[in-house]
Amino acid sequence: QVSVREADGGRPLRGLEALGWRRRPDATPGMTLAISASLSIPKPPAPLAIERVGSPEELVAFRETAFRGFGFPTTTARFFLNERLLALPGVRLYSGKIDGEVVSTSMLMATGNVAGIYWVATLEAARGRGYGEALTWATVAGGRELGCAVASLQASKLGRPVYARMGFEHVLDYGHYLPPEA
């Protein structure tokens, strides 16, 4: 799959379409939120405790939860979320825990003045309690600490109404293209 930002509602990969690639009908909304010093960050709902990931063991729990939350095979998680992340400046990982167990995750990747928000995931059994929203707010707060002026994310179908309620605005779409059938 190839995913691209579609500015101005255009379809930038018409060349791929001519080669047999097909555009998926579902686009992913890109959303942003202005981060100001006065932006109110709500406290997480009880009994959720949010912690920054700092050790290799905490990273394992983070990535297992993130991949399970998205329905991805956890056996591949180590290739995408590994210990090198913990050493990168501007990268912060957050775990939401209930009774010491990670149930929700988020990741901040600050680039310039933009707080990129990734891996907002909640285990299916823990959904509907505001945990994903709380982890998103923790990531926004982390971006503010690093001097970011805007938060940016790609919203899933489950997340989009939550992000809109938080004040994120839909600014563009990401289109997805699948290769030709073999």
Side-chain angles (χ1 to χ4, degrees), residues 38-124:
S38 63
L39 181 65
S40 178
I41 309 284
K43 292 184 180 192
L48 187 71
I50 299 176
E51 300 174 3
R52 252 183 89 184
V53 173
S55 73
E57 296 78 22
E58 292 169 337
L59 177 62
V60 169
F62 172 95
R63 72 183 179 213
E64 298 270 326
T65 302
F67 269 58
R68 284 178 45 215
F70 276 101
F72 297 157
T74 58
T75 54
T76 61
R78 63 188 170 89
F79 298 114
F80 299 94
L81 300 170
N82 55 54
E83 291 182 33
R84 290 178 290 198
L85 282 173
L86 299 178
L88 293 173
V91 173
R92 295 181 179 182
L93 286 74
Y94 299 94
S95 290
K97 296 181 176 182
I98 302 291
D99 297 326
E101 296 296 319
V102 180
V103 298
S104 194
T105 61
S106 68
M107 182 175 87
L108 164 67
M109 186 174 291
T111 306
N113 69 347
V114 178
I117 299 174
Y118 303 90
W119 292 107
V120 178
T122 302
L123 296 177
E124 191 171 350

